[in-house]
Each structure stands twice: as C-alpha cells, then as structure tokens.
Amino acid sequence: MWRLPFFEALGNAQRVLIAGAGGGFDVYAGLPLGLALLGAGKTVHFGNLSLVNLHALDKGVWLEPGVAAITGETAAHESYFPERTLARWLALHALPSTVYAFPRTGVRPLRSAYRRLAKRLDLDAIVLVDGGTDILMRGDEAALGTPVEDATSLAAAVGTSVPTKLVASIGFGVDAYHGINHVQVLENIAALDRAGHYLGAFTVPSHGREAALYRDAVEHARINTPGRASIVNGQIAAALAGTAGDVPLDGRTAGTPLFVNPLMAMYFTFDLAGLAAHSLYLDRIRTTDDMLQVSHIIERFRDEIEPRPRVPFPH
C-alpha cells in the first residue's frame, strides 16, 4: 500500500501545532487534519495569526510575549473573534479548547513568538495551514491573492526549530476571487514536486467524523459571527457536503458566482522549508517588525519583476 509522505513525516510526532497562516478563520482549515491527528492519539494544539486587536484584551491572556492563550471565556469588545469562537466550539465537544493567537506583526516578532510557544509546548511538529492557495505563491505569478499574512507566517515558522515543519493547503479554487490563477498554482506544485518538497494530496473523507465535525464548526462560526462568516471555510464545508457549483453561502457572496467543487476538500501538502525556499522574496522580509513593512517589500518586489502571464485552464 502507498503511504502518503505527509503522514510519514508526522509519524513520530507526538505534540503537533496546527497553525492558521493567513489570519481570520484560517485555523478552521486545519480542523479536519487536527481532529484526525487527535484520533490517532497525538497531542494537538491549535494556533492562529489573529486579525483581532489582541493588545486590547486583558493582560492575563498573554502566555508568552507575542502569544495569547484564548479560551471560550476570554472577554473581548467585538463579536468577531475566530480564535474564541473556535475555543468555544472545541469546549462544546470536550476537545482541548485553548487556541493560541499571534498578533499581526512582522516576521521577527512572530518568529520569536513561535519559538517561545514551541519551547513551552515542547512541540515536535508544526503544520502551517492555509485556507486557499496563496501560501503557494512564489511571487512572480499573475496575482498573489492576499500574501502578506501567509508569507509572514511562512517566514516565521521556517525560522522555528522543531523537528518537523509542514504546510497544508485546502480550498483549491477559493482564491480565484482574489485573482489567483490556478494553472499557476498547479505549475508551482509541479515545481515543488520536482524539487522533492511536495508531500502529496488527499481528500478529507466527506462521510467521516472529521468532516462532520468540521461542517458543524463552520456552521457554529457562521451563527456566532453574523455578517462576517468565513467564505473560504463555507465553500470547503459545502464541498465536503457533496455540493457543487454556485452554492449560496450568505449575503457576503451575493452577486459573486462561486464554483464549489470536490477539489476544495483536498489538502495539498508540502515540506515547509522547501516551500519557503521556493519563494522569490521571503528572504527580504525576514527582518521585518510589522506587516506594513512586509506589504511594502512585496509591492517593491512586484515592481521589479515581469509577472508570469495568466494562463487559462486547457480543459
């Protein structure tokens, strides 16, 4: 029987951090994987680059400098709080319910935060998860989607010393809304495969426990985050329900045709260091202190190059 290299890489890992790379509800994209690893007897922690103003929270949330420990009881002034919403859902299902949140910073402070958390939790694996595919953009594509948060997380995680570091991308196609050319995504995956950094793809079993719990978590988040539910996770959940085409989600997608399809329910997996090495600009952002610097560096890089031309799907 074939064994997926991604799971072989995690074979000896016992303490795994599933971390959302792009902020917002990205950590939810790691739920099916995290639940499967929990079912396999591993200790799983969830973390996320947060879009919430964590510095407005009570000082007691700070586990380490740059790391907030969010629970269902964490007080906040706004209802949009994906990390707390996830913590509450995890608690409802008697699952480990602390979600570690990282503030939106540049690479240098985020890298320090990852290192502190890795030491405190004695991690032997980090899986950086992206809901979508913009983490796979190397920089010269026709469009990069929303790369700032993903690139910052990737650069921070690659500088964190744990034995196993991986990337999992789920939601192939959702970034078309942000201009991503998915032919170029496939070209990038092929290049990573040639270099030995692509660890295979697999579909979340739609009739399995993990898919059912994930759909429940996404629905719970939709109900508890009115008007700001995750469009990305909504499409992935719809794909895991066997639906396809222009599936209505909520008012935020009105007038924007969607193309929900089974590929959205697949994880594409990679060696994190190998993926980072394929980025054409990641070295430039390693010493940044805030995300505005990251954004400006990416913009300057884009001004220096001739992007690859957009390519239509041939079939």
Side-chain angles (χ1 to χ4, degrees), residues 170-215:
I170 188 171
F172 183 91
V174 300
D175 291 316
Y177 177 79
H178 291 121
I180 293 291
N181 180 239
H182 285 80
V183 171
Q184 293 178 337
V185 174
L186 295 174
E187 290 173 347
N188 289 359
I189 293 173
L192 289 161
D193 191 17
R194 290 193 298 274
H197 305 313
Y198 177 46
L199 302 182
F202 58 93
T203 298
V204 177
S206 60
H207 296 285
R209 173 178 176 271
E210 294 83 8
L213 286 171
Y214 170 72
R215 290 192 297 265

Side-chain angles (χ1 to χ4, degrees), residues 28 105 119 127 148 188 190 210 303:
Y28 277 72
T105 66
K119 182 177 181 180
V127 182
V148 174
N188 289 359
E210 294 83 8
D303 288 340

Side-chain angles (χ1 to χ4, degrees), residues 78-245:
E78 53 184 311
S79 61
Y80 177 81
F81 199 164
E83 295 82 13
R84 184 180 63 182
T85 303
L86 176 58
R88 288 175 174 174
W89 180 87
L90 290 167
L92 284 173
H93 292 269
L95 294 165
S97 58
T98 297
V99 178
Y100 300 99
F102 304 108
R104 291 181 79 249
T105 66
V107 172
R108 187 154 44 191
L110 184 58
R111 181 172 57 234
S112 295
Y114 263 101
R115 288 173 175 174
R116 292 187 186 103
L117 186 61
K119 182 177 181 180
R120 175 177 280 265
L121 300 179
D122 193 22
L123 297 176
D124 44 26
I126 294 174
V127 182
L128 208 57
V129 179
D130 182 26
T133 53
D134 40 12
I135 199 170
L136 306 182
M137 300 293 98
R138 66 182 200 175
D140 63 347
E141 295 81 8
L144 303 186
T146 54
V148 174
E149 290 82 4
D150 293 289
T152 302
S153 294
L154 184 61
V158 78
T160 303
S161 295
V162 298
T164 301
K165 292 178 288 190
L166 307 170
V167 171
S169 163
I170 188 171
F172 183 91
V174 300
D175 291 316
Y177 177 79
H178 291 121
I180 293 291
N181 180 239
H182 285 80
V183 171
Q184 293 178 337
V185 174
L186 295 174
E187 290 173 347
N188 289 359
I189 293 173
L192 289 161
D193 191 17
R194 290 193 298 274
H197 305 313
Y198 177 46
L199 302 182
F202 58 93
T203 298
V204 177
S206 60
H207 296 285
R209 173 178 176 271
E210 294 83 8
L213 286 171
Y214 170 72
R215 290 192 297 265
D216 184 76
V218 172
E219 177 62 11
H220 174 269
R222 185 190 68 80
I223 293 169
N224 287 278
T225 315
R228 296 190 66 181
S230 171
I231 296 172
V232 169
N233 284 286
Q235 291 181 78
I236 297 169
L240 280 170
T243 57

